Amino acid sequence: MRPPVSRRSVLPGFGLSLGFALAYLGLIILLPLAAAFVKTAGMTWADFWAAVTSPRVLASYRITFGASFLAALFNVPAGVVLAWVLVRYDFPGRRLVDALVDLPFALPTAVAGIALTAIYAKNGWFGQWLEPLGVKVAYTPLGVWVALTFIGLPFVVRTVQPVLEELEPELEEAAASLGATRAQTFRRVILPAIRPAIITGFALAFARAVGEYGSVVFISGNLPMFTEITPLLILTKLEQYDYRGATALAVVMLLGSFAMLLLIQLVQRSSTRRARA
Amino acid sequence: MAGNVSTLAHVAKHRQRRSLQDPQWLRVALIGLALLFVAIFLVVPLVAVFTEALRKGVGPYFAAVADPDARAAIRLTLLAAGIAVPLNLVFGLAASWAVAKFEFRGKALLIALIELPFAVSPVISGLVYVLLFGAQGWFGPYLGAGDHPWLGAWANAHDIQVIFAVPGIVLATVFVTFPFVARELIPLMQAQGKEEELAAITLGASGWQTFRRVTLPNVKWGLFYGVVLCNARAMGEFGAVSVVSGHIRGETNTIPLHVEILYNEFNIQAAFAVASLLTLLAFITLALKNLVEWRHRRTLEAAAAADIRQFVNSP
Amino acid sequence: MSIEARNITKHFGAYTALADVSLKVGSGRLTALLGPSGSGKTTLLRIIAGLEFPDVGGVPGAGRVLFHGEDVSDMPAGRRGVGFVFQHYALFKHMTVFDNIAFGLTVGPPVRRPARGVIQQRVNELLQLIQLDGLGARLPEQLSGGQRQRVALARALAVQPKVLLLDEPFGALDAQVRKDLRRWLRHLHEKLHVTTVFVTHDQEEALELADEVVVMNQARIEQVGDPQTVYDRPASPFVIEFLGNVNRLTAGTGRLQAPGGDVLYVRPHDVDIQRGQADGHAIRARVLHTFSAGNYGRVSLERADTGEHFEAEITRDRLHDLGLKQGDEVSVVFRHVRLFPRGQFAEADVRNGQLSETKPGYVPAHGAGENI
């Protein structure tokens, strides 16, 4: 039989630091989140189901998840091009562009919301040119997409950029010396290397977009069954003192987010495992 | 450290190697595309903020910013950030110390849980506090306007209220900014390992001396970075505080909420004037972020140079 | 200050780092813990320092560490009076060389800390000792590897440790720096006479530097002895294979009759080659390849009866005299061999750091040390 392994440690403060971290995490994050699930558990299944599948709610899922998906999808090629340009090319203003990419992280969402609305409204800088062409952006699903594209922009760039930087030039030189064209090298050597980063970036952008509120509410117009996103519907229900309805919707969204989080973890874990192998 | 240094070398390598250079037309096209994209999605909105803010000239701009309600909103935002950032800073230090310097079961789960607030919609972050502290919430009866026989009365007498009041705003801000410091410090401390701390301990330093004189100086830039990002989010948060705030002008309005009220009252110019303050905050945040990254890079390059010297003038 | 570790066992999860290891280190000695990676040598060193703790349980008195007879097992690392030099130096990156060396004198309870002037003087002495005077204001990143190594040593010496422990002290350095530092450390040890234990995987380093060598393998001690003993009288096949080049041949077949065992070890420099048919004790072999560098000539051979490959190291002159060509048939004579029974090398014999009691060196028909 093996003797018990010693639990002693040379560095002090383990109990204190972990204890504080766990207590703080529990009080600030886990207890409040648990409140949402407990609240929902008080509902009957039929009530819950009715609350999360009413036509207005279903329409809000469509616009929320649909626009988020399309925004994240658009951010994949845009993000890869930006990352590529920032890593591989030297051009005037490269440092500035690199810094600007983080703007959607740093700019408060309400500011982004009113700024985008001002640009794409009927008399806005872009709106005045687009509306005569029959393209309405503000107060339509397209506007929701614009806002979600804005806030999701940094994710793919920032996940792909470090992978491109780490990529050994020798790999591409080897491909070139074996007779591959630039396009073939990109498709068969570079793309496989950055694929996990692309998936992670896409998933992060999508998850962020689904929960987004501030940048969307101004440009969407919040028309029920048309441009009303789920987070806003939660707030609306709350303001009508429909706590249960709001919480039921919140639980659906939380479960969706947790699933996304899990997916991201799995993608990252499998890609690091492959990198190690 | 070696990894980062080679990264820098790679960047330079990628840009210099002739054989890997794309044809001129492709480079111009891709750079053009990237710049166009950045211009449409990032630059134009920024320009729009300041154009709209100054549409009526400098006078109305400053009038909007100096308005008593705006000043009250600024004070409340500073207060909320002033409480949330230090709290999350202490948490970040405690969590990263435990995670990076010790082995324990469930560590991966703890790291995942720390990132959890990022996956939660801001609206839900506010909602959960309403569920806890609202009139119908778990702790509602013990708070102001609550019907608990004596705690509610006590809270009433002392005007203790969480939701639709300042404490709710602070709590929601703490929630949404929770991970920022910890997620910067944990990978940094993990990468640094614990050899330096062990060296300090063998030399007779106490735990606190080790932390203050060895650990803290080693992570100070990462700490600063996390605090800058945490502060930006704390001051700019909109969705979560929108749920728990009573939207009372001059009392429970933060800067972003004040922007919303002005905007919804069609006071567009004033809304953008106040929004420009937040935009400046974003600029400062980006500048500090890049400063830290630049500082890091300089340290790394110095280390790389020392590595080269190692081969040149070995004793 | 003598060191004693009693029946130390240490697991990391399912992995066994140390299996009931006991060790005694004499006062003022310079001892090497020698072994391949994963043999447990670093873990043993860290347990002595108080940076790891042995598993609890086992026989009474097991898992204890004693300094000069005093049980220090429950004493925190900072109070054991140990100077520890880490493999990658673990210098404080943000402090100057001076502050690094002074660190141990500026921490701990205030009563322990010397006055500013004393610290200044002591650090300057140490800077002189490590031949880095004038570089006190540099940051570690501005030093070469060898210089960093010496700063780490000075930092450990500043607190006047009773025991000096070094983990792979020269592991990260290139060959020439290693040699210089090795000589310098030997010199330093003779000057200071602090009980010193260092970990290394380099047998040349251990043999050249240490008073005593502790050979470790797979969580156990294989042999303890002075360099000459472990090299000349290796207690186990592991020790003979780990310490220097050796040929491993099957005994008990053909002309290599062996009463004591069936695995035969012979160092290349104990192999002699003769032209033509030699006396009855020699074995036949075919020359595969010859090569000479410096004073020595190396010959690769294939044994005629079993087809095993082995090497001989003879003087360059002898190689020239023999005029060997590829494919030549020659006679081979072994001057000195070690013989072990196959597979059943007795573990009991080499545990707990005692010198092996295994059979003496191979005694063929004519006895050890003679030509076959």
Side-chain angles (χ1 to χ4, degrees):
Chain A
M1 210 187 82
R2 199 197 302 161
V5 173
S6 167
R7 287 250 159 261
R8 288 164 70 185
S9 158
V10 177
L11 293 177
F14 176 60
L16 183 69
S17 60
L18 186 65
F20 176 76
L22 288 179
Y24 188 73
L25 175 76
L27 281 176
I28 297 291
I29 307 295
L30 299 183
L31 178 75
L33 286 180
F37 286 92
V38 172
K39 182 93 182 170
T40 318
M43 297 171 76
T44 66
W45 177 248
D47 283 352
F48 177 79
W49 190 249
V52 300
T53 58
S54 74
R56 188 174 166 187
V57 170
L58 290 179
S60 85
Y61 293 155
R62 263 196 298 281
I63 180 71
T64 304
F65 287 89
S68 297
F69 182 81
L70 292 176
L73 204 62
F74 177 80
N75 272 323
V76 167
V80 171
V81 167
L82 255 172
W84 180 266
V85 164
L86 289 174
V87 172
R88 295 304 178 90
Y89 304 153
D90 228 343
F91 55 95
R94 186 178 60 82
R95 297 278 317 256
L96 186 68
V97 171
D98 199 359
L100 263 184
V101 166
D102 284 325
L103 184 73
F105 285 157
L107 192 70
T109 54
V111 179
I114 61 170
L116 291 172
T117 313
I119 297 167
Y120 289 99
K122 198 160 51 183
N123 51 1
W125 290 347
F126 291 164
Q128 59 180 315
W129 300 104
L130 293 171
E131 295 244 333
L133 299 173
V135 181
K136 280 192 172 185
V137 180
Y139 318 124
T140 70
L142 191 57
V144 177
W145 175 84
V146 166
L148 295 179
T149 303
F150 172 84
I151 57 120
L153 185 137
F155 287 98
V156 176
V157 184
R158 291 300 184 229
T159 49
V160 171
Q161 201 175 3
V163 183
L164 271 182
E165 281 173 0
E166 286 284 349
L167 214 60
E168 295 166 54
E170 285 80 5
L171 280 182
E172 290 162 58
E173 287 178 338
S177 73
L178 292 167
T181 64
R182 232 18 222 145
Q184 284 168 328
T185 305
F186 182 80
R187 194 162 47 82
R188 301 195 30 201
V189 176
I190 300 172
L191 200 57
I194 61 175
R195 188 177 296 134
I198 290 178
I199 295 172
T200 306
F202 171 85
L204 287 172
F206 178 72
R208 170 73 204 266
V210 165
E212 180 56 21
Y213 172 75
S215 59
V216 179
V217 284
F218 297 99
I219 201 170
S220 72
N222 308 324
L223 300 168
M225 308 296 291
F226 186 53
T227 57
E228 186 179 54
I229 54 167
T230 313
L232 181 81
L233 192 54
I234 293 175
L235 198 70
T236 309
K237 283 179 183 285
L238 208 56
E239 276 166 2
Q240 293 161 352
Y241 298 102
D242 179 6
Y243 280 33
R244 294 193 159 196
T247 314
L249 269 185
V251 162
V252 170
M253 289 199 73
L254 281 175
L255 291 177
S257 309
F258 296 164
M260 283 300 294
L261 208 63
L262 203 67
L263 189 77
I264 294 168
Q265 294 262 330
L266 287 178
V267 169
Q268 280 177 333
R269 203 167 297 175
S270 77
S271 71
T272 51
R273 199 176 305 141
R274 220 171 307 142
R276 263 187 220 134
Chain B
M1 199 183 262
N4 289 324
V5 172
S6 72
T7 305
L8 295 175
H10 273 147
V11 176
K13 246 191 280 178
H14 281 308
R15 293 211 190 94
Q16 280 158 11
R17 293 208 182 181
R18 183 112 346 138
S19 62
L20 298 182
Q21 281 191 359
D22 300 322
Q24 180 80 16
W25 66 266
L26 183 63
R27 299 170 42 159
V28 171
L30 288 180
I31 292 175
L33 202 61
L35 289 181
L36 184 72
F37 187 59
V38 167
I40 290 178
F41 277 95
L42 301 178
V43 177
V44 170
L46 279 183
V47 177
V49 170
F50 290 97
T51 311
E52 294 287 338
L54 294 165
R55 185 170 288 270
K56 293 177 187 164
V58 180
Y61 177 86
F62 284 108
V65 173
D67 177 79
D69 289 344
R71 290 215 305 261
I74 294 170
R75 270 198 300 277
L76 181 56
T77 292
L78 291 177
L79 175 73
I83 296 172
V85 174
L87 274 179
N88 288 331
L89 169 69
V90 173
F91 165 74
L93 284 171
S96 54
W97 179 261
V99 166
K101 309 292 181 192
F102 300 93
E103 294 307 317
F104 55 93
R105 223 181 299 173
K107 191 193 273 191
L109 179 68
L110 175 62
I111 296 173
L113 284 177
I114 288 172
E115 299 255 332
L116 197 59
F118 281 152
V120 175
S121 171
V123 171
I124 298 175
S125 313
L127 167 80
V128 292
Y129 283 106
V130 175
L131 294 181
L132 279 188
F133 297 109
Q136 303 177 25
W138 288 0
F139 304 127
Y142 313 109
L143 297 168
D147 48 12
H148 188 270
W150 50 274
L151 256 181
W154 177 82
N156 238 338
H158 291 82
D159 199 20
I160 305 277
Q161 210 184 341
V162 175
I163 296 308
F164 310 133
V166 173
I169 289 173
V170 171
L171 279 174
T173 306
V174 170
F175 186 105
V176 295
T177 59
F178 178 86
F180 281 97
V181 180
R183 77 195 299 259
E184 290 304 328
L185 287 184
I186 287 173
L188 187 61
M189 279 205 203
Q190 276 180 324
Q192 285 176 343
K194 52 184 183 183
E195 291 288 88
E196 282 187 46
E197 279 80 7
L198 290 179
I201 293 283
T202 62
L203 291 167
S206 69
W208 173 244
Q209 283 169 331
T210 303
F211 179 75
R212 193 170 53 83
R213 295 186 50 186
V214 176
T215 309
L216 219 46
N218 270 336
V219 299
K220 62 171 187 266
W221 284 105
L223 189 70
F224 179 68
Y225 193 89
V227 164
V228 166
L229 297 184
C230 183
N231 179 66
R233 181 72 194 267
M235 292 189 170
E237 179 50 31
F238 175 65
V241 294
S242 180
V243 176
V244 294
S245 157
H247 298 277
I248 305 162
R249 294 185 93 135
E251 278 183 41
T252 60
N253 262 354
T254 61
I255 305 176
L257 295 177
H258 190 61
V259 169
E260 183 197 23
I261 287 185
L262 291 170
Y263 189 84
N264 287 342
E265 287 171 348
F266 298 106
N267 197 347
I268 307 292
Q269 180 271 330
F272 274 101
V274 178
S276 72
L277 296 179
L278 292 172
T279 311
L280 289 175
L281 171 73
F283 284 152
I284 295 170
T285 303
L286 289 184
L288 290 175
K289 184 173 178 289
N290 278 280
L291 173 77
V292 175
E293 282 163 0
W294 179 67
R295 278 298 299 246
H296 263 296
R297 194 158 293 196
R298 273 206 337 183
T299 338
L300 287 171
E301 274 163 2
D307 272 355
I308 294 163
R309 267 201 297 275
Q310 182 174 332
F311 296 103
V312 178
N313 61 359
S314 319
Chain C
M1 177 73 59
S2 66
I3 304 169
E4 188 181 352
R6 287 186 185 159
N7 303 90
I8 306 285
T9 299
K10 175 73 180 175
H11 289 90
F12 294 105
Y15 175 75
T16 306
L18 291 170
D20 198 26
V21 164
S22 296
L23 177 73
K24 274 185 186 169
V25 173
S27 190
R29 306 270 282 173
L30 180 53
T31 302
L33 297 181
L34 172 67
S37 57
S39 58
K41 55 193 192 303
T42 293
T43 307
L44 183 56
L45 192 79
R46 290 172 74 95
I47 285 174
I48 294 171
L51 294 174
E52 301 278 0
F53 300 97
D55 298 346
V56 288
V59 299
R64 311 306 291 183
V65 175
L66 289 79
F67 284 1
H68 221 78
E70 185 198 351
D71 191 339
V72 296
S73 311
D74 297 319
M75 200 180 271
R79 289 184 35 217
R80 290 192 184 186
V82 160
F84 197 96
V85 178
F86 291 80
Q87 187 180 358
H88 301 289
Y89 323 133
L91 292 178
F92 306 129
K93 291 189 278 295
H94 60 286
M95 291 183 202
T96 61
V97 167
F98 186 98
D99 289 339
N100 261 286
I101 297 174
F103 185 86
L105 303 170
T106 62
V107 292
V111 287
R112 234 196 57 179
R113 302 177 206 164
R116 193 179 284 262
V118 178
I119 294 176
Q120 187 97 27
Q121 196 195 340
R122 177 130 187 82
V123 173
N124 283 332
E125 280 169 18
L126 282 161
L127 279 170
Q128 223 156 40
L129 184 74
I130 60 169
Q131 299 155 7
L132 285 183
D133 26 350
L135 298 188
R138 293 250 184 120
L139 286 171
E141 67 188 22
Q142 297 168 316
L143 300 180
S144 72
Q147 290 172 328
R148 286 182 211 180
Q149 173 62 50
R150 283 179 282 157
V151 173
L153 197 60
R155 183 178 68 179
L157 290 173
V159 291
Q160 288 168 312
K162 292 170 284 182
V163 168
L164 188 60
L165 306 173
L166 306 101
D167 185 7
E168 295 273 8
F170 317 114
L173 303 171
D174 37 53
Q176 191 51 46
V177 184
R178 269 173 108 110
K179 277 222 159 100
D180 293 345
L181 263 181
R182 206 188 283 168
R183 218 165 295 142
W184 178 77
L185 184 68
R186 179 77 233 178
H187 180 70
L188 190 75
H189 181 256
E190 272 151 22
K191 199 149 104 189
L192 301 174
H193 269 291
V194 178
T195 308
T196 303
V197 181
F198 70 99
V199 157
T200 180
H201 62 264
D202 180 343
Q203 42 100 9
E204 198 186 314
E205 201 164 280
L207 297 179
E208 189 183 312
L209 194 53
D211 298 323
E212 189 158 65
V213 178
V214 178
V215 187
M216 296 190 69
N217 180 38
Q218 295 190 333
R220 293 175 199 282
I221 291 176
E222 293 269 341
Q223 186 172 7
V224 179
D226 62 76
Q228 209 60 54
T229 307
V230 293
Y231 189 80
D232 288 341
R233 296 181 47 82
S236 68
F238 172 80
V239 176
I240 198 169
E241 285 191 26
F242 196 70
L243 293 178
N245 268 338
V246 73
N247 294 304
R248 178 193 168 121
L249 296 167
T250 317
T253 58
R255 288 187 170 217
L256 269 181
Q257 290 305 328
D262 40 24
V263 180
L264 178 146
Y265 288 95
V266 58
R267 302 255 183 228
H269 53 74
D270 284 329
V271 179
D272 192 30
I273 300 172
Q274 295 172 355
R275 271 285 184 190
Q277 288 287 352
D279 58 52
H281 308 301
I283 59 168
R284 302 291 298 167
R286 201 162 57 86
V287 175
L288 295 174
H289 178 74
T290 65
F291 167 76
S292 66
N295 229 349
Y296 285 91
R298 204 167 294 146
V299 185
S300 300
L301 296 150
E302 186 183 60
R303 204 175 138 184
D305 52 354
T306 61
E308 287 170 303
H309 288 192
F310 63 103
E311 272 195 357
E313 209 173 85
I314 55 181
T315 64
R316 199 182 178 134
D317 291 345
R318 175 112 180 104
L319 184 65
H320 186 75
D321 291 346
L322 286 166
L324 295 176
K325 286 192 308 294
Q326 194 176 335
D328 284 357
E329 284 267 334
V330 292
S331 297
V332 173
V333 173
F334 299 155
R335 286 190 210 98
H336 186 96
V337 302
R338 296 281 298 181
L339 202 62
F340 295 100
R342 185 199 307 274
Q344 47 147 319
F345 188 74
E347 282 184 348
D349 292 341
V350 284
R351 265 210 209 156
N352 305 339
Q354 278 147 25
L355 189 59
S356 157
E357 297 289 324
T358 353
K359 330 247 169 337
Y362 167 54
V363 190
H366 303 277
E370 276 184 51
N371 291 355
I372 303 176

